[in-house]
């Protein structure tokens, strides 16, 4: 397993394909990191599907409203259109590039609309640089991310089984 240097700023995401370890960047995107940790600690991401997975680009998940299997509002047809009941986040754009394994927040056209959804880059995506809030980097398990079922929408999608802050695991 990857060496976890800062358990309070590391998340362990168990997926239907295996385990992924993500180092968080609180200095880069403190508001986004706080939200990821808050939702992880609430169990909000547990059961959430990867609703939009584009080969050679990214895997998107995190719709805790419409994308949570077993949730009261679960609706595969609407997965990707919801978020949490928490307020949207102010953009925290940085010069950190979107490269393989980058974790970044999804949003609408409004820069300040990120809420709970996020994506993991399969490959470098420089056109996203300085336009999306980077909050973490996969330090173990990119081979797992590579195996997630592809599609827009995904038929019988993979999901997050559990997502926990390493300090709590």
């Amino acid at each position: 397993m990857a060496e976890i240097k800062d358990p309070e700023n590391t998340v362990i995401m168990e997926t239907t394909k295996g385990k992924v370890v993500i180092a968080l960047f609180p200095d880069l995107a403190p508001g986004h990191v706080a939200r990821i940790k808050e939702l992880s600690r609430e169990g909000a991401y547990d059961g959430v599907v990867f609703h939009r997975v584009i080969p050679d680009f990214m895997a998107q998940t995190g719709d805790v409203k419409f994308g949570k299997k077993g949730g009261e509002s679960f609706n595969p047809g609407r997965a990707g259109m919801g978020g949490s009941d928490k307020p949207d986040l102010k953009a925290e754009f940085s010069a950190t590039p979107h490269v393989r394994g980058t974790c970044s927040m999804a949003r609408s056209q409004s820069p300040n609309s990120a809420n709970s959804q996020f994506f993991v880059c399969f490959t470098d995506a420089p056109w996203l640089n300085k336009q999306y809030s980077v909050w973490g980097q996969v330090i173990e398990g990119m081979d797992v991310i590579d195996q997630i079922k592809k599609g827009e929408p995904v038929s019988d999608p993979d999901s997050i089984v559990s997502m926990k802050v390493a300090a709590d695991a």
Side-chain angles (χ1 to χ4, degrees):
M1 187 161 133
E3 183 187 351
I4 295 175
K5 294 178 173 68
D6 183 358
E8 185 56 36
N9 287 302
T10 305
V11 291
I12 299 169
M13 180 172 68
E14 191 68 44
T15 73
T16 46
K17 294 293 190 202
K19 182 171 65 173
V20 179
V21 181
I22 302 167
L24 305 177
F25 298 154
D27 295 344
L28 203 61
H32 290 73
V33 166
R35 175 66 54 84
I36 293 291
K37 288 164 57 172
E38 178 183 22
L39 291 171
S40 295
R41 286 187 159 127
E42 291 173 358
Y45 287 125
D46 300 358
V48 175
V49 299
F50 286 87
H51 64 271
R52 182 173 178 241
V53 184
I54 303 170
D56 300 317
F57 180 29
M58 60 88 212
Q60 186 170 333
T61 185
D63 183 344
V64 301
K65 182 174 184 179
F66 299 122
K68 188 177 179 85
K69 285 183 177 176
E72 62 184 54
S73 300
F74 179 61
N75 181 338
R78 295 196 67 196
M81 297 180 202
S84 73
D85 56 3
K86 301 173 189 328
D88 287 347
L89 296 163
K90 186 173 180 343
E92 294 175 309
F93 301 158
S94 69
T96 300
H98 285 77
V99 296
R100 178 169 167 75
T102 295
C103 301
S104 193
M105 289 304 265
R107 62 172 178 81
S108 70
Q109 293 297 322
S110 168
N112 300 315
S113 62
N115 186 288
S116 66
Q117 291 187 49
F118 64 91
F119 59 90
V120 180
C121 293
F122 288 124
T123 58
D124 296 359
W127 61 92
L128 301 178
N129 294 349
K130 299 181 183 176
Q131 296 185 57
Y132 290 83
S133 299
V134 173
W135 56 265
Q137 178 71 35
V138 173
I139 58 172
E140 178 185 309
M142 271 310 293
D143 57 323
V144 172
I145 297 293
D146 289 338
Q147 295 172 45
I148 292 171
K149 287 184 205 125
K150 315 296 188 279
E152 274 187 286
V154 183
S155 174
D156 187 29
D158 286 305
S159 61
I160 298 170
V161 175
S162 73
M163 191 155 145
K164 296 185 173 13
V165 177
D168 304 338

